[in-house]
Amino acid sequence: MTHIAVLGSMNMDLVAYVDKAPQRGETVTGREFHTIPGGKGANQAIAAARAGATVSMIGAVGNDGYGVRLRDTLEHSGVDTDFLRTVEGASGTAHIVVDDEGGNSIVVVPGANGTVDHLSPGDESVIATADALLLQLEIPQAAVLAGAAAARRHGVRTVLTPAPAQPIAPELLAATDLLVPNEFEAVTLTGRTDPREAAAALLDLVPEVVVTLGATGSLYLARGTEPLVVPAPRVRAVDSTGAGDTFVGALAVALAEEKPVREALSWAAAAAALSVQRVGATASMPYRQEIEAQYTA
């Protein structure tokens, strides 16, 4: 079975649902509030596990109630938490406002994630046995770089989601095999507003790029190839939180299973389309049989 390692964040998502998101200085009344386990690392781990992979999570939670629930959620989804450490203090939180169009705005408070600034004993051995290592930027870049370097030493494919958008160390990009930004992150990294131009510019830094385009689908480009645009299924979005992570987790599984790129992108898009029709991040992620039913070649 495919083995995916994930080095990244664990957050409790504190989600408020509103008709319209507030502007600066404005107060609005929400209609619902939920606490939902999330964090980009945990999201991608659960997405990959539900898509059919064996998954190992590397990261940290606090010794609070949120930490207990975050660990339990991963384990319930079949993710190995032997290398998820518990540290003194609060777990990470993400404060999310979701509007009626399914859009969201997010404030992340790192908490325990901020302590993950290096690899701990045993982490590299887990990475070495994986088919792919999934990375994001909700933990200190020093740890992300250490994980990518370890993967490179052992010939493991690295997949980096450059979120939250921020400057990325050249050493980290040099150790990245596949970069998966959304449109905003691609603009931030390159200054190019056109996705094709942004993807082409990113190929100076990494060998493969997938720019996610929301409801439009995704754009794939590799060195020496023509751009490949793969549309997403048309669905009514209820909540887009975690959709990008669902896409990345499913894509990593599909590529590790050696699906052709177009098929892998369509399969991942099917997973993401299912997730946006449901509330929450981890709570919305589909299982493999659901993806197979949604997927059309």
Side-chain angles (χ1 to χ4, degrees):
M1 181 179 285
T2 297
H3 178 205
I4 303 293
V6 181
L7 171 60
S9 58
M10 303 279 302
N11 293 322
M12 185 60 72
D13 292 348
L14 311 177
V15 190
Y17 294 88
V18 299
D19 295 336
K20 183 179 179 182
Q23 299 180 19
R24 184 174 182 177
E26 180 183 13
T27 299
V28 301
T29 299
R31 63 177 178 275
E32 291 182 57
F33 174 77
H34 298 281
T35 56
I36 305 171
K40 297 195 73 65
N43 290 349
Q44 293 183 6
I46 290 172
R50 292 185 179 179
T54 297
V55 180
S56 301
M57 181 73 206
I58 304 169
V61 294
N63 61 345
D64 55 4
Y66 287 162
V68 172
R69 188 175 167 197
L70 288 165
R71 185 182 294 274
D72 287 348
T73 299
L74 282 174
E75 292 174 351
H76 182 73
S77 295
V79 176
D80 177 13
T81 62
D82 286 349
F83 295 88
L84 177 65
R85 48 193 184 268
T86 299
V87 300
E88 188 74 23
S91 297
T93 54
H95 305 255
I96 304 172
V97 175
V98 180
D99 63 31
D100 271 352
E101 295 181 356
N104 62 60
S105 56
I106 305 173
V107 176
V108 174
V109 181
N113 298 306
T115 70
V116 186
D117 56 5
H118 62 282
L119 294 184
S120 292
D123 290 350
E124 182 162 345
S125 64
V126 174
I127 293 169
T129 64
D131 295 293
L133 173 66
L134 305 189
L135 302 162
Q136 324 79 36
L137 300 177
E138 286 186 341
I139 60 173
Q141 273 197 46
V144 181
L145 176 56
R152 184 55 54 90
R153 284 194 291 273
H154 296 282
V156 175
R157 183 189 187 103
T158 54
V159 180
L160 174 63
T161 304
Q166 59 189 270
I168 302 176
E171 298 87 351
L172 175 54
L173 290 168
T176 296
D177 295 308
L178 173 62
L179 187 70
V180 191
N182 63 21
E183 290 178 88
F184 174 77
E185 292 150 5
V187 170
T188 300
L189 289 171
T190 66
R192 312 288 181 88
T193 56
D194 179 85
R196 289 178 184 246
E197 292 181 4
L202 289 169
L203 286 186
D204 291 335
L205 307 173
V206 296
E208 291 182 280
V209 177
V210 173
V211 180
T212 57
L213 306 172
T216 303
S218 61
L219 167 67
Y220 171 83
L221 191 59
R223 291 171 181 166
T225 69
E226 292 297 315
L228 173 63
V229 177
V230 177
R234 292 187 176 183
V235 298
R236 182 183 180 278
V238 173
D239 182 358
S240 62
T241 307
D245 295 326
T246 301
F247 179 92
V248 171
L251 178 64
V253 174
L255 292 175
E257 292 176 353
E258 300 185 349
K259 287 181 168 62
V261 170
R262 182 184 291 275
E263 181 180 338
L265 291 168
S266 293
W267 203 75
L274 286 165
S275 76
V276 301
Q277 297 175 74
R278 306 166 181 173
V279 170
T282 56
S284 72
M285 292 174 174
Y287 289 87
R288 188 180 183 97
Q289 59 268 31
E290 297 178 285
I291 303 171
E292 295 287 4
Q294 171 80 29
Y295 168 74
T296 55

